[in-house]
Amino acid sequence: MSFLIINNTKIPAPDVGASLTVATNVDSGKNANGTFVGQKVGRDQYKIDSLQWSFLTSEEWSTILQLFNNFRVVARFPDMVHNRFITLMLYPGNRSAVPVAWNDEGLPTMYKSCKVNLID
C-alpha cells in the first residue's frame, strides 16, 4: 500500500516533511468577555503540508506534476483522526523543485527538493 495515491496513481513516499493538518472552521470567535461563542461550520478540512522528496528523476517529478493538470485530484492518504485512509478531492498548492542534472539538450534529468502541498 502507498502513503499517497492520487487519481489512482501511487506516489513515491515523501522522504521529508508530509505533515498532516486537520483544520476546524468556526463561524465566530470570542465575545467581549473573552468567552468562545463560535460553532463548528461544516466538516473538518484536511491538508497534506510540506510533501517533499529529496531527489526525483525528471520522469518521476513530471508524472506527479501531470496529475494536477485538471487542478483538483482524488487523493487517498492517512486520516490521523480515525486512523484509517481517507479519500478526498484536494488541490495542489505551489509546486517547486531544483534541477541538479541535465541531458545533452539541456533538459533536467534529476531534481532535488521537490515540494507540493495538497489542500482540501
Side-chain angles (χ1 to χ4, degrees):
M1 196 45 71
S2 181
F3 168 82
L4 177 61
I5 298 173
I6 298 175
N7 293 345
N8 293 317
T9 301
K10 292 181 180 179
I11 304 302
D15 54 359
V16 179
S19 64
L20 302 173
T21 300
V22 179
T24 302
N25 296 311
V26 295
D27 63 1
S28 175
K30 296 182 179 182
N31 64 18
N33 295 324
T35 303
F36 179 77
V37 294
Q39 298 294 318
K40 181 178 177 179
V41 177
R43 64 170 177 78
D44 286 337
Q45 303 287 298
Y46 288 78
K47 181 177 182 181
I48 307 172
D49 202 15
S50 305
L51 279 166
Q52 184 174 333
W53 298 266
S54 295
F55 290 95
L56 290 175
T57 66
S58 58
E59 291 83 13
E60 291 170 321
W61 188 226
S62 178
T63 296
I64 292 170
L65 295 177
Q66 287 179 40
L67 293 171
F68 306 125
N69 282 346
N70 293 324
F71 189 59
R72 293 182 55 88
V73 298
V74 176
R76 181 181 181 275
F77 59 96
D79 175 2
M80 62 184 177
V81 175
H82 300 101
N83 196 33
R84 62 179 185 230
F85 283 93
I86 186 172
T87 301
L88 291 174
M89 291 285 289
L90 303 177
Y91 67 91
N94 293 343
R95 282 85 68 197
S96 63
V98 177
V100 294
W102 295 262
N103 66 16
D104 292 339
E105 297 171 357
L107 287 173
T109 58
M110 182 70 67
Y111 291 93
K112 73 175 186 176
S113 302
C114 304
K115 300 176 187 178
V116 64
N117 299 322
L118 292 175
I119 305 157
D120 187 0

